Amino acid sequence: MAHAALLHPARPSTSAAAARRRCGRSSYRAAPPVLPRRSRRRLPRPMALSTTAAQGPAPAPPGLKEGIAGLYDESSGVWESIWGDHMHHGFYESGEAASMADHRRAQIRMIEEALAFAAVPDDPEKKPKTVVDVGCGIGGSSRYLAKKYGAQCKGITLSPVQAERGNALAAAQGLSDQVSLQVADALEQPFPDGQFDLVWSMESGEHMPDKSKFVSELARVAAPGGTIIIVTWCHRNLEPSETSLKPDELNLLKRICDAYYLPDWCSPSDYVSIAKSLSLEDIKTADWSENVAPFWPAVIKSALTWKGITSLLTSGWKTIRGAMVMPLMIQGYKKGLIKFTIITSRKPGAA
C-alpha cells in the first residue's frame, strides 16, 4: 500500500476554498493500531496538494479505496479480538491513570461524551429516530446508538469483512431489524437527501480524500434540524504568522502516515470553515486530546501481551512496523501537534 506523504498546509482561512486546499487525502477510518498482514497490492503514492488559490484537492490515487478495504478486511478481526467492537479512542478524565479493565468503558464514554457535547436529546419525542454511522467499522457505534435511542441505524464502510461481521453481531444481539451495515463510499453516500436525524462519524474524517466533500455529504443526508457529529484526528491550527507546520512536525506526521497508510490531515479550524460554508448552525468544537491521552499507552501495553505479540508475529512486518510507530502518536499528542477533535453542528430546520 502507498506511503502517503505529509504536505505543507496553507495558512488558516475562513473560506471553504482555502480549507479544501489544505485538507489532505486519506483512507476512510483510522487504521486500528494493529495493522494487517502484508498487502497483496501496492498503491501509488498520493500526489502533492497544491497550495495555489486556483486548485482544490487533488483526486485520490487509483485503487486507494480498494487498498483501504483490504486493510480493514485483514486488520479488524485482530483488533476486535483484543479491544472489542469499538474501533476508536476512549474518553478519560484528564490526567487519570487507567487500568486495562477501564479502557472499554472509556470507549463507551467517548460515545456518550460526544452525544452530550452535541446536546442530542434523550426525550422520547425529540430523540433521533434515524441514524447513519459513517465509517462504521464493525458497527460498535451503530448498535450502541440503535439500542440507546430505539433508532433505525445504517452504517457504511469500505470493508466487506467489516460489514459482514457487523451485521452478524447485530443479528446475534437481536438488532437485525434496527441495524444494517453496507459497503459504500462516504463521499458518495447511497442515501437520499435529508434522511437521518443523527449523522455520526467517529474517527473516520481524518481519512477522507476531500474534507469539503465529506462534510457536504454529511450535511446532505442530515434531516432538517438534524445533528452532525464528527470526532476526528487533526493537526494543530496554524498561527497567523505561519504558512506551514514546522519541518519537525511534518516529519513526525509523515512517519505516522507511512506506518498507518494515512495521507494528509487538516486542522480543526478547517472543519469549522467548511461547516460555515455549508450554512450549518450551532457549530461547536473542542480539543479532547488530554482526555484520550491514556489510550495509546494502553494499546502499546496490549500489544505486549502474549495475545498481542502472537498477533504481531503472525501478521507480518507491516503490523510490527505499526506497533513500533505507536510511541509517535503519544509524542504527537504531547507536542500539541496532534489534536483529537470533536466538531458538531446542526442542519438548518425546514422553513
Side-chain angles (χ1 to χ4, degrees):
M1 303 182 75
H3 297 336
L6 245 299
L7 308 171
H8 293 254
R11 181 188 303 273
S13 167
T14 57
S15 73
R20 284 195 297 270
R21 291 195 300 275
R22 288 191 305 277
C23 295
R25 288 171 309 283
S26 65
S27 35
Y28 283 71
R29 173 177 281 273
V34 178
L35 292 174
R37 294 178 178 85
R38 192 175 304 274
S39 175
R40 293 184 297 272
R41 180 178 183 182
R42 293 189 64 82
L43 300 176
R45 183 184 295 271
M47 295 171 59
L49 290 179
S50 170
T51 56
T52 63
Q55 292 183 298
L64 181 60
K65 290 195 294 184
E66 293 80 4
I68 296 162
L71 173 67
Y72 287 103
D73 283 349
E74 296 183 9
S75 65
S76 296
V78 177
W79 176 263
E80 182 188 359
S81 71
I82 298 174
W83 277 79
D85 60 351
H86 292 285
M87 301 176 69
H88 58 77
H89 284 68
F91 187 101
Y92 310 83
E93 291 299 328
S94 180
E96 78 173 7
S99 69
M100 286 303 295
D102 296 328
H103 295 300
R104 293 195 184 190
R105 288 194 296 271
Q107 288 176 308
I108 296 297
R109 184 179 175 187
M110 174 63 72
I111 298 174
E112 288 292 344
E113 291 287 343
L115 295 170
F117 184 82
V120 177
D122 287 324
D123 180 273
E125 296 300 317
K126 297 180 180 179
K127 67 182 181 181
K129 298 176 176 61
T130 52
V131 179
V132 62
D133 184 356
V134 179
C136 61
I138 58 173
S141 292
S142 299
R143 291 184 295 278
Y144 186 88
L145 295 170
K147 287 186 284 188
K148 179 178 176 67
Y149 295 118
Q152 296 291 318
C153 188
K154 303 287 188 181
I156 58 174
T157 172
L158 288 177
S159 166
V161 170
Q162 286 186 334
E164 181 179 3
R165 176 59 178 159
N167 285 328
L169 288 169
Q173 296 174 24
L175 294 170
S176 291
D177 60 339
Q178 289 179 257
V179 176
S180 175
L181 309 187
Q182 66 189 89
V183 176
D185 186 345
L187 301 185
E188 299 288 344
Q189 294 189 39
F191 308 118
D193 296 357
Q195 183 169 346
F196 300 103
D197 301 325
L198 174 60
V199 178
W200 176 270
S201 171
M202 175 62 70
E203 296 190 52
S204 63
E206 60 269 29
H207 299 301
M208 300 297 165
D210 181 340
K211 299 296 193 296
S212 292
K213 176 65 172 173
F214 167 56
V215 181
S216 177
E217 275 292 275
L218 299 182
R220 181 185 68 77
V221 301
T227 300
I228 300 168
I229 298 177
I230 303 170
V231 181
T232 188
W233 306 2
C234 294
H235 66 64
R236 67 173 177 83
N237 290 325
L238 299 182
E239 298 295 333
S241 60
E242 292 181 306
T243 59
S244 167
L245 293 173
K246 298 173 183 177
D248 64 315
E249 293 175 323
L250 292 167
N251 180 63
L252 177 60
L253 291 182
K254 182 181 183 301
R255 291 168 65 191
I256 293 170
C257 289
D258 284 350
Y260 294 139
Y261 311 110
L262 304 177
D264 305 350
W265 304 349
C266 66
S267 69
S269 65
D270 293 329
Y271 274 109
V272 171
S273 295
I274 294 168
K276 288 180 177 178
S277 77
L278 295 169
S279 299
L280 298 176
E281 300 176 347
D282 300 334
I283 302 167
K284 298 191 299 180
T285 184
D287 177 6
W288 285 353
S289 300
E290 290 188 5
N291 299 105
V292 301
F295 178 77
W296 283 93
V299 173
I300 293 172
K301 186 175 181 179
S302 70
L304 296 176
T305 63
W306 175 252
K307 189 173 186 179
I309 291 171
T310 302
S311 297
L312 289 174
L313 293 177
T314 59
S315 295
W317 166 243
K318 292 180 181 178
T319 304
I320 295 170
R321 184 181 64 175
M324 292 170 63
V325 172
M326 289 178 195
L328 296 183
M329 288 296 298
I330 300 173
Q331 185 178 344
Y333 278 124
K334 287 183 175 179
K335 286 178 173 289
L337 169 60
I338 298 174
K339 297 294 183 180
F340 190 91
T341 305
I342 181 169
I343 308 101
T344 65
S345 60
R346 183 173 56 84
K347 187 171 181 176

